[in-house]
Every structure is written in C-alpha cells, then in structure tokens.
Amino acid sequence: MTDSSLFITLNPTDSKDTRSGFGAGLLELGTTHPDVVALCADLTGSLKMGDFRDAHPERFFQVGIAEANMMSMAAGMTIGGKIPFTGTFANFSTGRVYDQIRQSIAYSEKNVKICASHAGLTLGEDGATHQILEDIGMMKMLPNMTVICPADYEQTRQATLAIADIEGPVYLRFGRPKLPVFYNESAPFEIGKAQKLMSGDDVTIIATGYMVWEAVKAALTLKDQGINADVINMHTIKPLDAAAIIESATRTGKVVTAEEHQRLGGLGGSVAQVLAENIPTPMRMVAVQDRFGESGTPTQLMEKYGLTADAIVARSLELIAL
Amino acid sequence: MSMQASPTICSQVRRDIVRMVHAVSSGHPGGSLGCVELFVKLYFDVMKLDAENFTLDGKEEDLFFLSNGHISPVWYSVLSRRGFFPLKELATFRKLNSRVQGHPATEEGLPGIRVASGSLGQGLSVGLGAAETKKLAGEDTWIYTLHGDGEMQEGQIWEAAMYAAHRKIDNIISFIDCNGQQIDGSTEDVLSLKDLGAKWSAFGWHVIKCDGHSLDDLGSAIDEAKSRRGSGVPCIVLMKTVMGKGVDFMEGTHKWHGIAPNDEQLADALSQLEETLGDY
C-alpha cells in the first residue's frame, strides 16, 4: 500500500470531470508513445478524445456506431505493436461487446486499453439504459484483464499514462460529472497498489472511483465524532491489493466498501473474498442493491441509491456498534 | 520454397483432417475439407511468411486470420505441413494439455495463430485492425481473412464491411467459403443470404467469384485482387465450395459440419484420399 495522504488536499478548490483526465492523458501519450493509437465509436467529444485526434489524425480511428468492430479491430491493431485505446461509454465498452473482448482481447492476450466513460449512476439524466452498474464485475471476471477505476481528474490522467506502460488488456473506468480534484499532480500512482488517504484504527473504508471522495468526506465526519477511519483508495480492482486489505482489517476489525456499481460483482465482493479467505471481518457494502438506475441528476441519483458520504458514515457506525 | 501448392498436398491435408477428427471423435470435418485448396494455395504459393521463425507481430509478413475458427483442422494441417510446428502435434488435436486447441487460440503459443477465433463474426474486424497497423507501418504486405457463408448472418461482419470501404482498406483480401451449409441445414433454409455478391457490392467492396476447389482459379482470383491495390476498394472473394469435398459421403450436406467419422467411415474416407506425403 502506498501512503498518499501527503499527496491529497482535503480542501480542493477545483472541480473537473474524470473523462477530461483521460483526454489529457491520451494527448500526452500521443507525444510520448508513438505506438499509441486511439479508436472511437462516435463519441469523440464525450470521451474528450478530440485533442488527440487533432494532434495525431493518422493515429485516430473513427469507427462509427459499431462497437463490436471497434473492439476486434483494436485486437488486430496490436499485431505489429500498436497500443490501441478504445473510447466509448462504459455500457458500450463492456456489455455490448463482451464476447469480442473475451475472445479477441482477453483470451488472445492483446494489449488493448478499453477506456470507458459515463460509468454508473452519475451519467445522470440519460437513465438506466446507459447507466451501467455491472461493468466492473464483467471485466474483473475475465482472465488476463486489469481493471482500474480512478478517483478524480488527476488520477485518471495518471492512470491513462500508466496503462500504456503495462503489457496486456486493461479496463479503465471513469465518468461524466465534475468532482473535486483532490490529488496532486505529483502523487505516485502504481497499478495494483492501493493508496492510503487517511489513517485510523477504528474502521476501514475501502472505496473506488467516484466514491473515494465520498469516503474521505465520511472519514472527516467520523473524525468529528472521535472515530478514526483508515481510508483506502482501491483504484485497481484487479489485480487487487490483498495485502493492503488484510493489513488494515487486522488493525480495525471492520470494513466498509463503497462503489458506484452493483453490490453483486463489484469491489465489495472482491474485498469480501480476500477477507473471508484470510481474516474474516464484519463488513458493510455501500453499492447499488441489485436494481437498475433511472433518470435524474447525478447528485439526486447518488442520494436516492444511497451512494453518499452519509451512507458510508451510517454503515461505519453500524459496524462500530456491533 | 520446397513445395508448391498441388493436389498432392491437398490430398494429404484431407487425410490429416479426417484422421484428426476421428481420433478424438469431435471437430468439424465438413468445412475443413471444403477449404483445403484455399489454405494450400495461400500457405504454399501466395503468402510471404517465415514458418520456422514465427512471431506474433509478423512484421513484413502477410497475415492470415481464420474467422470461422471451427474449421481449425484444415488450418492446423496446413500450418504443420508448411513447417510452423511439428507434424506429430496434429495427434494432440483437441486433447488435454495440447497447443492444438479445438478452436484456434494463442494462449498455448501454437505458431501460426495470432488471435483466438471460434465465436463467429470477429475475424474481419481483427483483420482490418491488422491491416490498419500494416498501413501505418508503410508495409506492402497483405492481410487475408476467411469466413463461412453462414457467418455472414453475424451483424459484426457488416460493421466491418462498412468500415473497410469507408476507410479504403485495400491491403486486405477476404474469402467467403460459399458451401451453402450451416449447422441446422442449408443457408437457404436457415436464413437466406439472398444475393451475397450484391450485398458486398452495395457495401462498397469489389467482388470476385471463383471455384474454391481449383488452385488455378484461386490463384487468378488472388492475382486480380492484388492488382487492385491502390484502388481504395477492399476485395472479397466468394469461393464456391462443396462442404466435405473429397469424401463422397460427406459432400454437400450440413450433416458433416460438426461430427467425426467412426472407424468404418474413416476407412472409407481414407480409401478415397491418397496418402501422398506420409500420414502424421
């Protein structure tokens, strides 16, 4: 586990969308990695891939509304050494093309980076057709696949850079709305290494993606009540940093997980497997309870579906009261 | 090159196919037998390749992708006969701990295979991706893909078809094994392809038709396709074939799509196929 507490601010002033972090990272890769190519299925603006397209038009491949073709093409492009980054919404990056990913990319061990925006409820008003909440589960089940869900703009930029330098298929999940930028540019980022953001011995909070900032807010609330939480950003869901989970759970004896994803198949399930096999620990999971989303603003939806700092606080207090 | 494409090689490949599927009582002999001439033509006469020093990247080489992966027996036989891997490995087809998987795969590292296939409809897209990479590299090499005619029922094929024409991908030559059969019956009965050539023309491809059992005719079709490089128009070869070609009781029926001959049927089949290069 990396101690990242010195690399975050608890009073962020800036707010940015994680997809823009992806766009910025991709543009940087255009300069630093000549073999990086990008494919997009008619969502260049939404994925913030326009700067890369304009800077490197010969390395940008508009495939139209044809995601299956895009995924298999990306697999083919690796033959000869290219590093393809595919861009579309998370729903169309996973469920729509699962068989293409499974056969042509994961089983075939192809060096494709599947970059997925608009994941989860925070996609908002478009509603449940587009709000995929099962993608982490689908992708983590695939052998050879790395699954990363960064916490803010800066970390998404860092993750985009980092995945270009590992060999093999990656699923990079990010989102639509703006959220606080609380990571510093200089924060170390290592795939597969969880990051400790706050330290405490009373309860462990393990969060990923959008829910990491909520976890920090929850820990600050708990602190006001004299409860010290260990806050861990599990940006890499696979391979999972089991050592970090075990170390923290050993000290606190209580674990709350938080994710913008179905309860079945998400981060919570992965953490539970590690705990069950190593150090059985009382747990609570803040996640979507086996239902589809709906239209609404991101904030309204997260409130209605119980994905908030308050929910993390409540589950933590439940565990402490056991 | 030591050997050129010939009926001699084709006969031996057909023996390999029926012996491989018989040995494990599973596999797909029908389509395999129907595509023998294409594989032999490509691998012995046409493709620029280095069989003894196979690399996944295949730089400066021609690449072949089998989209209808179930006809793996013909590919394995030809790869092996061409020197990609030892002939004796054909005896491990579909067996535990083998590199010669039921459907083509890369995980076990079998030389000659660059992507897994089996779930249909993906190979044209994979080939187009490889073709784009070849273009970026400035190579004058070729990408070849093979598809079943039944596979044309997969929607992804037509996504790829649109892309290739739009992007003017003219370093790819794709083949369709037009045997008119699929698992549940004839393509006409199951889901008619209607005028397949007209469909590809409408999607912006140059359509060539040929006899898939004539090495010369296949050669002419490939020459014609190659001569069109620079046209900005991708080429598709509709290759008329007979499923089960070379074994009389397997010919022209979907019944031998995915079942293996028993001992008696194997003997019957082998009696119709001369052993020319030595069985594995």
Side-chain angles (χ1 to χ4, degrees), chain A residues 37 58 60-63 66-69 72-73 76-82 99-100 103-104 107-110 144, chain B residues 56-57 59 63 65 105-107 114-119 122 125-126 128-130 132-133 136 156 159-160 163 167:
Chain A
V37 295
E58 76 289 352
F60 179 80
F61 299 85
Q62 169 65 264
V63 303
E67 295 82 6
N69 185 46
S72 303
M73 262 189 65
M77 292 187 84
T78 66
I79 299 167
K82 295 299 171 208
D99 186 42
Q100 285 76 15
Q103 173 171 284
S104 295
Y107 181 41
S108 296
E109 302 168 279
K110 296 300 181 224
N144 300 329
Chain B
L56 263 180
D57 275 343
K59 289 186 177 171
L63 309 181
F65 296 98
T106 58
E107 198 167 71
R114 290 190 168 88
V115 72
S117 61
S119 178
Q122 300 182 27
S125 304
V126 173
L128 290 173
E132 289 280 27
T133 289
L136 283 173
Q156 185 179 349
E159 292 185 7
Y163 180 90
R167 294 278 304 197

Side-chain angles (χ1 to χ4, degrees), chain B residues 49-62:
Chain B
L49 51 81
D50 186 349
E52 289 75 24
N53 302 291
F54 173 76
T55 62
L56 263 180
D57 275 343
K59 289 186 177 171
E60 294 297 339
E61 292 183 39
D62 294 340

